[in-house]
Structures are given as C-alpha cells and as structure tokens.
Amino acid sequence: MLARARARLRRVGPVEAAQEIADGALLVDIRPAAQRAAEGEIPDALVIERNVLEWRLDPTSDARLPVATGDDLRVLVICSEGYTSSLAAAALQELGLHRATDVVGGYHAWAAAGLPTSS
C-alpha cells in the first residue's frame, strides 16, 4: 500500500519543502497532539490531525478550512517519519488535490536538516 501511494507522489525533502513553503505551499502537520508535544512543532505549519484531513482540505466539503480554496492547492504533508504522510498525500490526490505530496523523512528529517522547530 505504501509503495503504491509513493509511486504517484513526487516527494520532497525537508530543504526543498522549506523552499516551497517560502514560495506559498501549505505545510500540513498530521501528527497527533501527543506526538507533537513529545517531538516538537514546526512554526507556521497548519495542524490537521490525520483523522480529519480529507474533509478539512476538500474544497467541496462543508467542514473545509478557509485555506481549502481549490484542487490546485500545493499541500506538503508531514508526519513523524514520512510513512503516514505518504498515505495521507495519496488520499488527498484521490480527493482531487493533484499537487499534494509529502516530506521525505517527516519531522525527524526536518529537524535533522536544521529547519525551524519549537519544543
């Protein structure tokens, strides 16, 4: 399942993700609250826990967030290590968000790359 999900993504590393965010991409942290508390957070990431991700980013959903403006939204999904985020990004693509992908290595790779975090 993971291999099938990743086969349709053009995954980005943490440094490339940071550049895309600077250019307007949306970083979505899907880690649960307990994991974010234990590991740290990424400033300016939009937190949407995995269990509500699809209807919060679906532009046609009554429960969508204001940022869910259309199918062309560039969404970079991040989890702890880059596994759950691949499955989540593939689900977003199935929903029609064709530019969705995930961050290779997740939060751990982000922090290891020296990118901004807060504990």
Side-chain angles (χ1 to χ4, degrees):
M1 182 186 298
L2 182 62
R4 282 193 312 272
R6 286 182 172 168
R8 56 208 259 203
L9 303 174
R10 191 192 69 73
R11 303 177 76 214
V12 297
V15 173
E16 183 180 354
Q19 182 58 53
E20 285 200 37
I21 294 160
D23 292 340
L26 178 66
L27 180 66
V28 176
D29 189 341
I30 62 170
R31 295 174 298 150
Q35 199 167 35
R36 291 190 316 274
E39 295 176 345
E41 298 198 27
I42 300 172
D44 301 322
L46 177 61
V47 174
I48 307 175
E49 291 192 15
R50 177 63 191 100
N51 62 325
V52 297
L53 182 67
E54 287 85 355
W55 51 85
R56 294 294 191 210
L57 290 180
D58 180 352
T60 67
S61 170
D62 292 339
R64 74 184 172 278
L65 295 172
V67 71
T69 56
D71 292 340
D72 203 39
L73 183 65
R74 177 64 166 166
V75 178
L76 307 177
V77 182
I78 194 164
C79 65
S80 185
E81 295 182 346
Y83 296 97
T84 304
S85 59
S86 294
L87 299 173
L92 290 176
Q93 284 190 354
E94 287 180 25
L95 195 65
L97 297 171
H98 61 96
R99 297 179 65 211
T101 193
D102 75 320
V103 179
V104 176
Y107 178 86
H108 290 264
W110 180 278
L115 294 166
T117 63
S118 59
S119 303

